[in-house]
Structure formats: C-alpha cells, structure tokens
Amino acid sequence: MNASVRLSRKGRSQLKKNSLLYKGKSPKFITFGEIMLRLTPPSYEKVRMTNLFEASYGGAEANIALELANLGIDSTFFSVVPDNSLGKSAIRMLRANDVHCSPVILSTQKQTPTHRLGTYYLESGFGIRPSKVTYDRKHSAITEFDFSSVDLDELLDGYDWLHLSGITPALSEECAGFVLDMLKKGKEKGMIISFDGNFRSQLWSWKEARDFCTKCLAYIDVLFGIEPYHLYKDPDHPALGDLKDDIPFQPGPEEQDRIFRAFVQRYPNLKCIARHVRYAHSGSENSLKAYMWFDGKTWESKMFRFNILDRVGGGDAFAGGLIYAAMNDYSPEDMINFAVASSVLKHTIRGDANITDDAKTIRNLMNMNYDIRR
C-alpha cells in the first residue's frame, strides 16, 4: 500500500487506544443478510413498459462483502437461500468474486416452505425522474428459516469484524432476534462490530426501525448513518423530541459534530460514526460528501460531483470503503475521503456492488485524479 496513507506509530497507538481494529494482522470479515435477484429494465425503461429484464444479484450486506473481497480482504457472507437454481446461482456469483460462502445455508423445502429467493425490481432514474424499487421478498427463505439451529459461537469463530444492517431485522421476527443475538455474541468475542441502519420504508415503519436499531447501539463500534435511532433530548421524557429533529438533511460541520458527540456521550462504546450527505441536482447528477467522528473530532471529506449510471448500492460502497480503509491503517482524513470516493465510483458501475479490484483506482479518485490509467 502507498506509504502516504499509512499511519505513524503514534497514529497506530491511537487506533489501539480506541480499539478500532488495528491488530497487526490481516483481518477476517463476516456479514449476515439477504441476497436477492435483481431485475432491471434496460435503457432506463419503466417496468410497465419493458419486455426484457437484466438479471443480477445484490443486497446491502452482500454488496459490502463483494467490495471487500474484490479489494483483497478475507470476506465471508452468511445467509439462507433456497436449495434450487436461483439460490445456487446467487451464491455462485458471490464465490466468483472471492467471497467465502461456506456458512451459507441452502435450505430444503421443509425448512423454508415457500422456498424462494427474494426479488426486487429496479427502475433506473434518468434526468428529473428518480429511481424506483419494488420489492418481492415476502416469505423468502431467510425469513422462514429457524435460526435457533445455528451455533453462533462456531459461526463467528476466527473473525475480527462483524457487519450488520437494519434491513435484515425488518424481514421477520426471527431475523430480528438473530441479528441481536449476533451483536451480543460478537461483542462477547471481542469483534469489531459495524452497523448501518439502512431504513427501508417498504419493510417497516419509522417507529419500528428506530425502536429496534436503538437496541443495537450498545453493541456497535462503527456506526454508519445517524438514523433510524432514538436520541431523545431527555430519555425520561421522549415527548420532548429527538436531538436529531433540529439537524437539517444537509448539515454543516458544527451541526454534525454536535450530533456525533451526543451519540458518543450516550453510547461511549462508539469509536467511529460516519455518514455521507447527498445533494441531488437531478436523478442523473448528484454530489456527495461525508462526515466522520473519530479520535475525538469530526472529519469532513471532499465534495464530489458526478453523473449516475447506477445509484443502488452507493451507501454500501461508502460503508465498504470505510471498513477497508480502517482495516488498512489509513489516517482519519484518508478514511473518510476513501469511503466517499468508493461510493462515487460505485455510481458509475452497473449492479448493486462496487466490484473494483484495485484500491489505487479509488485512491486516485479520492485525490481527484481522473487521468487515464495506462
């Protein structure tokens, strides 16, 4: 790796002090979630207009596993898919991108009676028309599986970093219970735990999401996003409102720093909080920047303006980029800029995941170097 992005000895000691991963060895990453079949009409068509669909696979947690594996991180994905051609095809795609899938459960029809892989339809936005997602994932295999049969101690043994999101617990009560169990077991085993709230209004209500995700905060080391969580002004009097109620959708550094510090004061286990801020000029052109709380201060990234080929997975690429940077000893400033550059690059790639096998490409973008690679 380029020496310019390595921390000094003092910086490494600070990482150790903050317990954010640096352990002097190659880290092992594991995540849990649903992988789905994605069907997209070509050429920016709408579902009701098209006669063709482009098929691919994706899902928030799988997208991060894919990015990290392509960048050389030992990355494992755990899920439940039906033991049929669709389930096997999804796992084959992950394995083709160097994601370890040995824990994945290929369920029988007895275990998951509806025996289906979740599906979603994506209408890609263009110009003033935004993208649109339609889910068809009810009764998918992961929602019908009985996770009490999974030995969590064995599943998580040997891994350093566990990543979870607020999408999977929204799928079923079984999934929600298993996510909480994973958080507790991961904390017990001393793993670094990252979590992305990833609210999906088509899966559960805002209150349901906030109620559940707030339960997760006590176990998290690295938090992506500041919603959906309760951060009451007075925990004894919720009716007084949430501290985040007053923050604009596109906050300034001081406003963001205030919220970050409130999170850390309430949950001192949090070692890093990061979020990206989007400016939508149209459905086809956006700008992104990000903020990150780390080592007692808030860091602000560069601003990137870009055209969009495929927006889905941009948030996952941001999370994956920051995890990669943290695992590779980047300075805080480079961590947040690498994460944003990873997200920006994803917007130029079709499909759910930022499948880029060259970290230097992201670092060049991070440094706003757009020259041709020869």
Side-chain angles (χ1 to χ4, degrees):
M1 183 171 51
N2 191 323
S4 66
V5 297
R6 285 195 176 275
L7 286 175
S8 64
R9 287 184 181 178
K10 180 180 178 182
R12 291 177 188 168
S13 297
Q14 192 63 50
L15 275 178
K16 290 179 182 178
K17 177 182 173 183
N18 289 316
S19 301
L20 184 55
L21 192 73
Y22 190 84
K23 297 179 181 180
K25 64 175 184 177
S26 298
K28 294 183 68 176
F29 171 90
I30 188 170
T31 186
F32 164 65
E34 181 172 34
I35 186 165
M36 295 179 289
L37 173 66
R38 163 177 150 170
L39 297 174
T40 309
S43 303
Y44 302 98
E45 290 183 348
K46 294 173 67 65
V47 168
R48 63 186 300 175
M49 298 165 53
T50 193
N51 295 311
L52 297 170
F53 289 95
E54 298 171 349
S56 58
Y57 296 97
E61 300 87 353
N63 296 340
I64 294 175
L66 281 161
E67 176 173 14
L68 292 175
N70 273 277
L71 290 173
I73 299 296
D74 188 311
S75 180
T76 297
F77 180 65
F78 173 60
S79 189
V80 180
V81 299
D83 188 3
N84 59 26
S85 295
L86 283 175
K88 291 176 182 177
S89 178
I91 300 308
R92 185 175 67 244
M93 182 277 293
L94 289 165
R95 285 180 170 146
N97 282 279
D98 298 323
V99 177
H100 301 302
C101 296
S102 55
V104 172
I105 295 169
L106 292 168
S107 65
T108 65
Q109 196 146 9
K110 183 177 180 181
Q111 291 172 308
T112 55
T114 311
H115 208 53
R116 67 186 302 260
L117 188 74
T119 302
Y120 83 93
Y121 298 82
L122 171 69
E123 292 181 353
S124 297
F126 186 83
I128 60 170
R129 173 166 61 87
S131 296
K132 178 181 177 182
V133 167
T134 302
Y135 286 128
D136 179 17
R137 62 197 299 184
K138 282 189 178 181
H139 305 293
S140 60
I142 197 172
T143 68
E144 296 184 341
F145 188 77
D146 179 6
F147 287 99
S148 65
S149 62
V150 177
D151 185 334
L152 266 177
D153 196 62
E154 181 182 350
L155 174 66
L156 298 179
D157 189 47
Y159 293 98
D160 303 291
W161 193 302
L162 169 66
H163 178 78
L164 298 167
S165 90
I167 296 178
T168 303
L171 300 178
S172 70
E173 289 186 13
E174 280 276 355
C175 287
F178 190 66
V179 165
L180 273 178
D181 289 344
M182 289 190 85
L183 287 168
K184 294 172 184 177
K185 180 60 70 173
K187 183 60 66 176
E188 178 187 314
K189 294 175 80 70
M191 302 174 71
I192 297 297
I193 298 174
S194 56
F195 189 90
D196 189 338
N198 261 340
F199 175 66
R200 296 291 185 268
S201 62
Q202 295 184 45
L203 299 180
W204 57 358
S205 71
W206 185 244
K207 183 181 184 305
E208 288 173 319
R210 271 189 165 182
D211 287 348
F212 180 87
C213 291
T214 302
K215 295 178 187 177
C216 302
L217 287 172
Y219 305 99
I220 296 166
D221 299 288
V222 180
L223 181 67
F224 293 104
I226 60 171
E227 292 288 8
Y229 310 98
H230 294 301
L231 194 63
Y232 294 122
K233 295 176 180 177
D234 183 346
D236 296 325
H237 299 90
L240 294 177
D242 192 282
L243 284 169
K244 297 185 269 47
D245 291 343
D246 304 325
I247 189 171
F249 185 68
Q250 295 159 341
E254 292 184 1
E255 294 167 311
Q256 189 60 70
D257 181 70
R258 175 172 59 85
I259 298 301
F260 284 164
R261 291 181 182 275
F263 265 103
V264 175
Q265 183 176 7
R266 197 87 40 101
Y267 299 95
N269 52 287
L270 292 170
K271 300 172 184 66
C272 179
I273 311 172
R275 65 164 303 191
H276 65 276
V277 180
R278 184 180 296 272
Y279 301 80
H281 310 298
S282 72
S284 304
E285 186 180 14
N286 285 188
S287 293
L288 277 183
K289 72 173 183 179
Y291 295 108
M292 178 183 73
W293 186 91
F294 180 71
D295 193 17
K297 65 176 286 187
T298 292
W299 305 80
E300 182 179 6
S301 79
K302 300 173 183 176
M303 175 83 81
F304 294 84
R305 185 163 181 158
F306 53 92
N307 294 317
I308 300 171
L309 179 66
D310 191 330
R311 172 173 165 172
V312 173
D316 305 327
F318 173 77
L322 192 137
I323 292 170
Y324 176 85
M327 287 180 168
N328 281 274
D329 204 13
Y330 282 34
S331 69
E333 185 178 9
D334 284 335
M335 280 171 62
I336 192 61
N337 280 310
F338 187 89
V340 176
S342 174
S343 180
V344 170
L345 186 63
K346 163 61 199 74
H347 287 73
T348 70
I349 298 171
R350 287 197 187 278
D352 267 40
N354 184 18
I355 298 180
T356 302
D357 61 0
D358 183 1
K360 188 174 181 181
T361 298
I362 302 175
R363 291 200 299 270
N364 282 338
L365 179 58
M366 174 182 92
N367 295 321
M368 296 189 172
N369 178 1
Y370 310 118
D371 288 345
I372 189 171
R373 297 279 306 279
R374 297 182 188 273

